Amino acid sequence: MTKKNENPELKPVYHISENFSSVFLGAVPEHLRVEEKNVDQGLTQTILSFLEARNNDLKQEFLAALRNNNAGELLVLMLQTKAHAKHTKELLVTCWETGIDFSPWIEFFVEYLFHKDPAIAIEAITVIEEMAGPFSPEIITKVNARLADLPQNHTFYPLVASIRRKLG
């Protein structure tokens, strides 16, 4: 189902289709691009279908395709889209399972530590723990200031120490 098409002016495009749904990984053709912060619900459903696949090989191939095509920005965009809010946990799991370095979006992921659903907060912690950094002094200051807002009696407060160590 996966086809690799070379696009000389851009990166390779991976086109995965099944049951009339499609997802393009890498450089999406201009005429198929979605507006910022408006990711098609079908794309989310396609990604979730691959991630829920009973065939682990298929799931691993799909995660590798996301990783190899630097789909971090796409995953962050999907997380920012309100229509996908009900899939936040699954998308966060996808983020850390891909092995993509989400360091440029650390401030974005720190906000999930304050989410009312503890499952979402723990997945965000995992994404943050997998970040390679380095982080600029300005980002470190901003993130530490935000982390200071987390109450000491919060369930995951002990894990915040590991995030602070990561920041240096």
Side-chain angles (χ1 to χ4, degrees), residues 73-88:
E73 187 172 358
L74 171 66
L75 291 169
V76 169
L77 183 61
M78 292 174 76
L79 283 163
Q80 291 173 335
T81 304
K82 289 181 183 179
H84 302 120
K86 64 184 176 184
H87 303 294
T88 299

Side-chain angles (χ1 to χ4, degrees), residues 34-91:
V34 293
E35 293 181 20
E36 188 172 319
K37 297 190 180 184
N38 185 20
V39 178
D40 184 280
Q41 186 69 23
L43 177 59
T44 302
Q45 291 305 320
T46 302
I47 289 176
L48 292 173
S49 295
F50 274 100
L51 298 175
E52 294 170 357
R54 297 197 188 278
N55 181 334
N56 193 45
D57 291 338
L58 179 62
K59 178 180 177 180
Q60 293 307 314
E61 181 182 336
F62 187 72
L63 289 169
L66 288 171
R67 178 178 50 257
N68 295 336
N69 287 281
N70 298 316
E73 187 172 358
L74 171 66
L75 291 169
V76 169
L77 183 61
M78 292 174 76
L79 283 163
Q80 291 173 335
T81 304
K82 289 181 183 179
H84 302 120
K86 64 184 176 184
H87 303 294
T88 299
K89 180 180 176 251
E90 294 83 0
L91 289 168

